[in-house]
Amino acid sequence: MFLNLPFFVVVLLALIGIATILLKRNLIKIILGVTILASSVNLFLVTLGYREGGIAPIYTLAPGGVMVMPTPHALTLTNIVIGVATTALLLSFAIIIHRKYGTVNVDEIRELRE
Amino acid sequence: MIAAIIANAPALLIGIPLLGAFFSPLIGRISRDARALWVLAIITLTTLVGLLTAYLVYTGGTVIYVFGAAATTLSIPADSGGIPVRILLTLDALSALMVIITVTVGFSVILYSLSSDSRRSSLEAYYTLFLLMIASVLGMVGTGDIFNFFVFLEISSLAAAGLVAYKVEKGRAVEAGLKYLMVSMIGGIFFLFAIAILYGQYNALNIAMLARMIQWTPLDKLALVLMITALAAKCGAVPMHFWTPDAYSMAPSAVTAMLVVVSQASLYGLFRICFTLYGLSLSYVVIGWVIIILGLLSMVVGVTMAIPQKDIKRLMAYHAVSQTGYMLLGVGVGLAVLGDQALLSSFGMTAMEGGIFHIMNHAIYKGLLFLTAGAIIYQVGTSDLNRMGGLGHRMKWTMIFFIIGALAIAGIPPFNGFASKFLIYESVFAFNPVLSIIAMVVSILTLASFVKVFHSVFMGPPLPEFQHVKEAPHTMLIGMTILAALVIISGIFPAFFVEHLIAPAAHALADQGAYLAAVLGGA
């Protein structure tokens, strides 16, 4: 039960993220929702990589014992970097939209709908 | 030297545009011409390496390229216990076909954009993003590793969103870019969830390795649903198509032509995952029908939304959604009969060939159409169909290219759209006649819609406000000429293309065993 706890948190975070994206009308809050959703994947990856009693896979002066596989951490790190890039781009879009339209409410950002 | 290039061609294919992308702002400091020459040199090199790689694949079978190993073909190191631990590129015939499409369209649109976008004020980041987008597509179709696919998918989303928003246009282009990036990013997160689910179960990221172990457990089903959702959204299939008209219409025309290829690369990913990663382990009838229904919805909704549009690029964007439906329909029918060898060889393979041929044809004629639309907007200054008219007197070449593109998309012989659509009609009729009839009706509506566009843009007396309008500049015409020539050549000699390019690609897609054997060896 205790070992499965992180997976419940993953699902909870993902649901919070999706709910924020679907229910909020403020663009900045929607972008935050996307970030929360991305964090839930990161947590999922890290949890998958956890082994009880495992040590970091650094061979120099290793005390012996079970080493964890570093792949999930590499994946998480990559996703964090990608997440930073996309969040930055989304937020800069939001800034331009606020400057040009004077609002960040998605109901009012509808110049393109015909 | 030559041998080294041949041996490292798959890596160079991604490396050259990546390197070129990040050097172009530096070279742009010297002068605009230096940057234009640099971009042209990079895309020419990429095209040559791409064609070389495709040639190697078509003549010598699947090419494996392993990074950091003792030999570039050593996918499984001796001490790894039979697991491909390194990053590797796997190019089979389908990937090679996608590479050919990407480099030809990429080359034409870069030529075109060198003059069409020369009026823009800040071009520092423009070509960086453009080359980055081309590199990411080449990466998506070349990789043999599902996580790498995700990384290239995200690079393509970022680069494409930046380019869609490039013009700003009082915020409207940014709005389109925001929608595109939002959809792509949520799709990307779903995709990574699916990767994590698969990795958690099988401890592998290599597509071939996963394919060998995959079980079709409930978790695998969830992963497949997440991946199909992500990629269908990214390729603009109904009901996740709402970003397509905005992004396609607001992006600079050269970018739109390339965005079509980015969408096709996502489609490639969708097919790769269904056929190669899951293969016969999934319930192919159900998933096949899901893809067929996605295709049908895209065809019908796309074309009905296209008819009332007044903006030339928005109209073409809805047609792009509708044409994507044909590819999903063709390959979906192939998937639905994948397990039944008799049906597969009687019409399933033909349907897949039609779908894959349509990917190639669509990238070419849709690219051509968006480029003609760009030329018109460049000279006239408006994209509103109601304000255009009589341009046939002034822009004869553009008109000819538009006619070629429009007849190709409507599936009129002897242009290439007919060749692929005919394969789809014929084979889908054998599967289920109703689907084939719907496909034909959609084609007729497409023709009707383009007749309307042709009439309102080119026909009628020359309008006084367009007295100053001239033919498009030469580099734009050269870019369009390449694509128009390809439309005609592949329309007149479809048998040649099907036999030498399309059929090997369709067989590579259907034959999961060959892909696994190429990567994992033996068995």
Side-chain angles (χ1 to χ4, degrees):
Chain A
M1 179 61 207
F2 178 71
L3 272 179
N4 283 336
L5 188 64
F7 293 109
F8 290 112
V9 179
V10 167
V11 174
L12 192 66
L13 269 181
L15 289 179
I16 292 174
I18 291 171
T20 315
I21 294 167
L22 293 179
L23 300 178
K24 292 290 173 187
R25 310 318 305 165
N26 184 321
L27 195 52
I28 307 286
K29 287 183 182 166
I30 293 177
I31 295 171
L32 286 178
V34 176
T35 320
I36 295 172
L37 189 58
S39 315
S40 76
V41 190
N42 289 337
L43 183 63
F44 186 37
L45 282 166
V46 170
T47 314
L48 287 176
Y50 178 75
R51 290 290 176 274
E52 204 158 4
I55 59 163
I58 303 168
Y59 280 85
T60 321
L61 302 178
V66 185
M67 284 181 180
V68 295
M69 185 80 171
T71 318
H73 308 116
L75 305 190
T76 315
L77 206 55
T78 315
N79 190 44
I80 290 173
V81 174
I82 292 174
V84 169
T86 25
T87 312
L89 190 57
L90 281 171
L91 285 172
S92 58
F93 283 173
I95 292 171
I96 299 177
I97 285 179
H98 182 257
R99 238 180 240 159
K100 301 281 177 188
Y101 293 179
T103 175
V104 285
N105 185 333
V106 285
D107 292 326
E108 294 167 32
I109 304 172
R110 50 192 319 157
E111 290 273 318
L112 284 170
R113 289 192 200 155
E114 274 149 66
Chain B
M1 179 66 187
I2 301 289
I5 291 178
I6 290 178
N8 294 306
L12 287 175
L13 184 59
I14 302 171
I16 291 174
L18 261 186
L19 195 74
F22 290 111
F23 270 104
S24 77
L26 286 177
I27 305 240
R29 306 286 291 185
I30 303 172
S31 75
R32 292 175 79 95
D33 293 336
R35 179 176 48 222
L37 272 179
W38 171 258
V39 172
L40 196 60
I42 289 294
I43 192 68
T44 313
L45 268 181
T46 312
T47 310
L48 291 177
V49 174
L51 294 179
L52 172 72
T53 316
Y55 174 78
L56 292 176
V57 173
Y58 274 110
T59 51
T62 308
V63 169
I64 310 282
Y65 187 92
V66 189
F67 287 93
T72 56
T73 47
L74 194 67
S75 59
I76 302 174
D79 57 350
S80 71
I83 301 164
V85 288
R86 295 181 200 281
I87 292 173
L88 53 87
L89 301 177
T90 313
L91 288 121
D92 66 358
L94 182 65
S95 319
L97 180 73
M98 293 303 296
V99 168
I100 295 176
I101 296 170
T102 314
V103 293
T104 9
V105 178
F107 184 73
S108 323
V109 297
I110 289 268
L111 266 186
Y112 176 94
S113 109
L114 285 177
S115 66
S116 77
D117 296 314
S118 60
R119 285 183 196 165
R120 289 189 209 300
S121 51
S122 64
L123 284 169
E124 288 85 11
Y126 183 80
Y127 287 108
T128 308
L129 290 175
F130 213 124
L131 290 173
L132 208 54
M133 183 158 81
I134 293 175
S136 69
V137 174
L138 292 171
M140 276 161 82
V141 302
T143 184
D145 178 301
I146 195 160
F147 186 72
N148 269 6
F149 184 85
F150 162 77
V151 172
F152 285 118
L153 187 75
E154 293 290 284
I155 296 176
S156 79
S157 310
L158 282 170
L163 286 170
V164 167
Y166 209 85
K167 289 196 295 184
V168 182
E169 296 249 336
K170 301 191 185 100
R172 290 189 300 146
V174 178
E175 185 186 335
L178 181 82
K179 271 187 201 166
Y180 180 66
L181 187 57
M182 199 67 104
V183 170
S184 308
M185 188 171 180
I186 296 171
I189 293 171
F190 280 1
F191 199 85
L192 187 62
F193 247 121
I195 294 174
I197 290 171
L198 292 178
Y199 183 80
Q201 292 182 90
Y202 304 112
N203 287 320
L205 291 170
N206 184 283
I207 294 178
M209 197 68 204
L210 277 171
R212 180 164 287 179
M213 293 185 292
I214 212 148
Q215 299 292 327
W216 198 237
T217 60
L219 279 175
D220 292 342
K221 291 179 190 171
L222 177 62
L224 181 68
V225 170
L226 287 173
M227 288 195 277
I228 289 184
T229 317
L231 292 171
K234 190 85 200 307
C235 75
V238 172
M240 283 87 72
H241 67 291
F242 55 88
W243 61 269
T244 334
D246 297 348
Y248 282 14
S249 64
M250 294 319 295
S253 296
V255 173
T256 314
M258 204 61 215
L259 270 180
V260 174
V261 180
V262 175
S263 304
Q264 316 281 47
S266 309
L267 206 58
Y268 160 88
L270 181 65
F271 296 156
R272 178 61 83 205
I273 279 159
C274 290
F275 283 88
T276 308
L277 181 55
Y278 282 85
L280 286 175
S281 76
L282 52 70
S283 28
Y284 47 86
V285 178
V286 179
I287 304 295
W289 270 100
V290 167
I291 292 181
I292 291 170
I293 288 168
L294 276 180
L296 274 187
L297 279 174
S298 303
M299 286 193 313
V300 175
V301 174
V303 82
T304 43
M305 293 292 285
I307 290 172
Q309 297 301 321
K310 291 181 193 66
D311 181 300
I312 183 166
K313 283 177 77 183
R314 245 186 128 72
L315 181 141
M316 287 183 180
Y318 275 113
H319 281 298
V321 173
S322 152
Q323 298 301 311
T324 307
Y326 282 90
M327 304 158 207
L328 288 168
L329 174 66
V331 180
V333 167
L335 184 60
V337 297
L338 187 63
D340 190 328
Q341 205 54 47
L343 291 181
L344 188 64
S345 49
S346 81
F347 62 84
M349 283 315 291
T350 323
M352 282 168 63
E353 282 167 14
I356 292 169
F357 197 17
H358 207 61
I359 292 184
M360 172 177 147
N361 294 340
H362 178 71
I364 296 171
Y365 66 64
K366 200 78 212 179
L368 177 65
L369 280 172
F370 276 121
L371 295 190
T372 55
I376 295 165
I377 296 168
Y378 180 81
Q379 296 296 15
V380 178
T382 174
S383 58
D384 189 343
L385 285 172
N386 293 339
R387 290 175 53 204
M388 295 181 197
L391 291 173
H393 302 271
R394 301 259 163 211
M395 305 178 74
K396 291 201 175 55
W397 285 103
T398 308
M399 178 172 77
I400 292 170
F401 292 140
F402 179 86
I403 295 174
I404 294 173
L407 291 179
I409 196 175
I412 305 292
F415 299 102
N416 63 1
F418 170 74
S420 48
K421 282 187 178 174
F422 188 70
L423 286 177
I424 295 174
Y425 297 151
E426 191 185 42
S427 52
V428 172
F429 192 82
F431 177 70
N432 187 332
V434 180
L435 299 180
S436 191
I437 291 166
I438 296 175
M440 283 183 219
V441 171
V442 169
S443 247
I444 295 166
L445 291 174
T446 309
L447 181 63
S449 167
F450 273 94
V451 167
K452 184 193 94 172
V453 176
F454 177 69
H455 189 262
S456 58
V457 176
F458 294 108
M459 289 292 107
L463 293 179
E465 62 263 40
F466 296 141
Q467 281 302 326
H468 62 282
V469 168
K470 294 195 299 289
E471 184 52 88
H474 286 300
T475 45
M476 288 167 88
L477 286 179
I478 295 171
M480 290 191 267
T481 312
I482 298 174
L483 293 179
L486 285 172
V487 168
I488 295 175
I489 294 170
S490 56
I492 296 179
F493 305 109
F496 174 83
F497 281 82
V498 169
E499 193 183 330
H500 291 97
L501 293 178
I502 309 302
H507 281 100
L509 192 54
D511 190 355
Q512 188 196 23
Y515 185 93
L516 298 198
V519 179
L520 303 173

